[in-house]
Amino acid sequence: MNLKFIDVSYTYHTLSGETNAVEGLSFSVDEGEFVSVIGPSGCGKSTILSLAAGLISPSAGKIERGGGEFGYMLQTDALFPWRTVEANIFLPLEVKKKNTPEMRQNALMLAQKYGLKDFLKKSPQQLSGGMRQRVALIRTLAAQPQTLLLDEPFSALDYQTRLAVCDDVHDIIKSEKKTALLVTHDISEAIALSDKVIVLSARPARVAGEHMITFGSGSPKKRRECGDFAGMFEVLRRELNL
């Protein structure tokens, strides 16, 4: 087991009072699994990632984490414009004091493996939106986390780029044998990418449904083309009360 929420609740305390963000939340993410969490807007999806990463602690319940570090990929690529692509990829190594020749070489090997060899000396402004997200993913992988936490990392991209980058990111994560927890508001994206989809209720978020996705041979493109896709979309749409 890589990550397990056991009856987890979390309450925000503000000057105006308390807000229950999640309540009695239980689900698991197994090693090597790609799990998506979907739910209504404002239901606490990003809070779940913060809890998973240990940035905040539950008000009740507990979270069990397996071995290995966590890597966080945000809604925007957050690349520093004054640093080259190569220097951006090395950033986590500097922050986590892992900036050794061996770790830098590993990061460069990842970059070259996934099509960034000719872009390492360029600035982020010279890259397309899709390529910038690939750099952001390789940067996240540079510190060798076992589990990736993905906070709607494709939401800033146009539709066509988003489809291509989703497939790209999925292939890299699976190829590198990483575990992934994605939060998204996009039902199609969740079905295409995931081994399992967790559906949340409105706030305070509880598990409204949990679905294993077994059709389409695990490829996002094949999933979208599969006859079972529309049926699963309708099931999830109904659970979300959309």
Side-chain angles (χ1 to χ4, degrees):
M1 189 68 62
N2 218 58
L3 181 67
K4 189 172 186 179
F5 279 58
I6 305 169
D7 203 24
V8 169
S9 297
Y10 183 76
T11 302
Y12 285 104
H13 297 273
T14 65
L15 293 175
S16 58
E18 296 182 347
T19 300
N20 293 334
V22 299
E23 190 169 87
L25 199 63
S26 295
F27 69 89
S28 63
V29 183
D30 292 335
E31 186 172 348
E33 200 172 31
F34 197 122
V35 175
S36 289
V37 174
I38 60 175
S41 181
C43 75
K45 296 188 292 295
S46 292
T47 300
I48 289 169
L49 288 190
S50 295
L51 286 163
L55 301 176
I56 55 177
S57 299
S59 305
K62 68 175 182 175
I63 300 170
E64 295 179 354
R65 300 176 184 86
E69 294 188 10
F70 287 75
Y72 218 118
M73 193 169 170
L74 302 170
Q75 293 181 15
T76 59
D77 57 63
L79 300 177
F80 289 145
W82 60 88
R83 297 180 70 129
T84 63
V85 166
E86 180 180 74
N88 269 286
I89 289 171
F90 289 156
L91 185 62
L93 306 182
E94 298 166 18
V95 171
K96 297 185 177 185
K97 297 181 169 54
K98 293 183 173 183
N99 197 20
T100 64
E102 293 79 11
M103 291 294 285
R104 289 167 73 96
Q105 185 59 34
N106 175 73
L108 288 176
M109 285 174 61
L110 278 172
Q112 291 168 6
K113 182 178 179 181
Y114 296 113
L116 296 177
K117 179 180 178 181
D118 296 332
F119 300 92
L120 291 171
K121 301 303 181 183
K122 294 185 181 296
S123 68
Q125 298 95 307
Q126 295 175 280
L127 274 56
S128 66
M131 190 63 75
R132 287 171 65 105
Q133 283 301 90
R134 187 184 298 195
V135 174
L137 176 60
I138 300 306
R139 179 186 59 189
T140 304
L141 292 172
Q144 299 184 332
Q146 179 52 41
T147 302
L148 301 180
L149 303 174
L150 311 172
D151 189 358
E152 301 201 48
F154 318 116
S155 59
L157 303 173
D158 66 77
Y159 181 71
Q160 289 299 330
T161 303
R162 185 173 184 145
L163 288 179
V165 174
C166 280
D167 289 8
D168 199 17
V169 167
H170 178 272
D171 291 348
I172 293 171
I173 288 172
K174 286 298 185 180
S175 178
E176 294 301 313
K177 297 180 172 56
K178 301 298 182 182
T179 305
L181 177 62
L182 166 75
V183 299
T184 179
H185 65 276
D186 190 313
I187 299 173
S188 297
E189 188 172 278
I191 298 170
L193 289 168
S194 307
D195 301 307
K196 180 166 65 181
V197 178
I198 308 291
V199 183
L200 299 181
S201 67
R203 195 168 64 191
R206 302 178 179 87
V207 174
E210 185 172 310
H211 304 272
M212 300 301 297
I213 311 296
T214 57
F215 57 85
S217 306
S219 159
K221 186 174 187 297
K222 289 181 179 176
R223 285 261 177 85
R224 293 187 185 97
E225 296 170 348
C226 188
D228 295 325
F229 189 93
M232 180 56 69
F233 185 99
E234 185 60 23
V235 168
L236 298 181
R237 187 190 66 78
R238 285 200 301 268
E239 284 187 356
L240 287 169
N241 296 314
L242 297 178

